[in-house]
Amino acid sequence: MRLTITHETRYRYSPPVQTAQHVSHLQPANTPCQKVINHWMKVEPAASVQHNIDAFLNHRAYWALTNPHEGLLVQAHSEVDTSAVPAASASQSWESVRELFRYRGSRPGHVHSGFVFGSHHAPVHEAFLTYAQSSFTPGRSLMQAAQELTKRMHRDLRYETASTDINTPALAALQDKRGVCQDFAHILVACLRSLGLPARYVSGYLLTQPPPGQPRLVGSDASHAWASVYLPQLAGHPCQGWLDLDPTNDRTGLASPGEDYVRLAVGRDFADVSPLRGVLQGGGAHTLEVAVTVAPLDS
């Protein structure tokens, strides 16, 4: 499936910002199930945009604005081919994976050990362990248990637009049993880590269909978030061992929940992969507008 994504972010400042430093994660990754055909990004005020690869192998852009400005516009456009990877199953129990990642001072750490420890938005906590345990029964395969937990979250938690923001703790969203995709991804990652399992946060996009008979509205989509858990038994598979889990839509799949998903970046939580963030000197009040369009190329 070939998808086009346009992601536009506009800030307006009052009074003007004097100088600023910004970093973005807006370029999709090449993965076993997606290939970036085209990507460009435009910044206003004009700036010299630099690019590099971060610690999680994500594409990252950064730039400085050294003159006073009353606003910032960042437009990113991507064209991506998505596909499915071969089906596979993993019978390895979740306890054996936990033991593989258990810290031992005399043994080198696994390459993905960093995803076992709690982070700011996805901490290790007894409440996450308690919620997850009914899916992680003794001897059950990690693959089956993670899929069942994803399904149960979809059933138990209510998606409610604007019910939370980035400062809402995942623990509060779990207790309230409501939130948005970002909250659900953080809860799922926290549940898996509280069991001693490696899990990461994934940012990206999902193709959404308009209601029957209604046109696709430009700018009406949103960025999306989900989680993934590492299955060592599938390390040599094209998915590279990662099973993606989307509790918002009850979708799971190797390397991606489906061909209608596009991955932007992965990290420990949202803080590692924020689409756009910066440090500002000056300014005061600001307004933010974000418009995202995800569409098939032939639409």
Side-chain angles (χ1 to χ4, degrees):
M1 180 183 296
R2 182 163 294 190
L3 299 173
T4 60
I5 304 105
T6 301
H7 190 147
E8 181 175 296
T9 306
R10 184 185 296 273
Y11 281 95
R12 292 183 174 88
Y13 308 118
S14 179
V17 167
Q18 298 302 305
T19 64
Q21 299 273 349
H22 291 282
V23 61
S24 71
H25 288 91
L26 288 168
Q27 180 174 343
N30 285 307
T31 76
C33 57
Q34 71 182 41
K35 179 180 180 182
V36 179
I37 305 302
N38 184 37
H39 173 81
W40 56 261
M41 189 173 76
K42 179 181 179 182
V43 175
E44 294 180 2
S48 176
V49 179
Q50 307 296 313
H51 299 268
N52 64 11
I53 302 297
D54 70 12
F56 303 104
L57 304 183
N58 304 309
H59 292 281
R60 177 171 60 184
Y62 56 98
W63 63 94
L65 297 173
T66 57
N67 295 316
H69 50 285
E70 297 180 345
L72 172 68
L73 173 64
V74 180
Q75 295 173 311
H77 178 85
S78 303
E79 187 176 310
V80 181
D81 275 343
T82 65
S83 59
V85 299
S89 62
S91 58
Q92 193 169 14
S93 71
W94 70 270
E95 295 101 329
S96 67
V97 177
R98 178 189 62 191
E99 288 304 309
L100 176 64
F101 283 88
R102 189 183 296 276
Y103 173 75
R104 292 180 176 86
S106 61
R107 188 182 68 182
H110 191 280
V111 65
H112 296 310
S113 290
F115 291 115
V116 174
F117 302 105
S119 59
H120 177 73
H121 294 293
V124 170
H125 192 280
E126 186 71 24
F128 297 117
L129 176 62
T130 300
Y131 180 75
Q133 277 182 325
S134 64
S135 298
F136 287 78
T137 52
R140 192 174 195 184
S141 78
L142 173 53
M143 188 174 197
Q144 290 180 341
Q147 290 172 326
E148 202 278 329
L149 176 58
T150 301
K151 185 177 293 293
R152 186 154 58 85
M153 285 184 59
H154 179 72
R155 183 177 65 243
D156 293 349
L157 307 181
R158 183 173 74 255
Y159 185 93
E160 191 170 307
T161 303
S163 60
T164 59
D165 59 34
I166 185 53
N167 296 312
T168 302
L171 185 59
L174 177 63
Q175 292 169 340
D176 293 343
K177 295 188 181 302
R178 64 175 184 170
V180 295
C181 61
Q182 181 176 277
D183 302 299
F184 299 164
H186 282 143
I187 291 171
L188 182 48
V189 170
C191 284
L192 293 165
R193 291 179 182 166
S194 296
L195 288 158
L197 301 168
R200 64 188 187 182
Y201 180 95
V202 188
S203 70
Y205 306 101
L206 171 62
L207 173 65
T208 56
Q209 299 295 339
Q214 298 296 314
R216 183 179 300 278
L217 300 178
V218 174
S220 64
D221 295 317
S223 55
H224 193 45
W226 58 98
S228 60
V229 63
Y230 184 67
L231 309 175
Q233 194 174 358
L234 297 181
H237 183 273
C239 73
Q240 300 172 345
W242 291 101
L243 174 68
D244 279 30
L245 310 161
D246 180 7
T248 303
N249 296 290
D250 190 18
R251 299 273 301 278
T252 66
L254 296 174
S256 172
E259 293 183 52
D260 45 351
Y261 288 72
V262 171
R263 189 176 98 188
L264 265 182
V266 298
R268 293 164 297 183
D269 59 28
F270 174 82
D272 287 332
V273 297
S274 173
L276 179 64
R277 65 180 185 269
V279 177
L280 313 181
Q281 180 187 23
H286 71 268
T287 61
L288 169 64
E289 298 174 5
V290 179
V292 177
T293 302
V294 183
L297 189 62
D298 57 359
S299 66

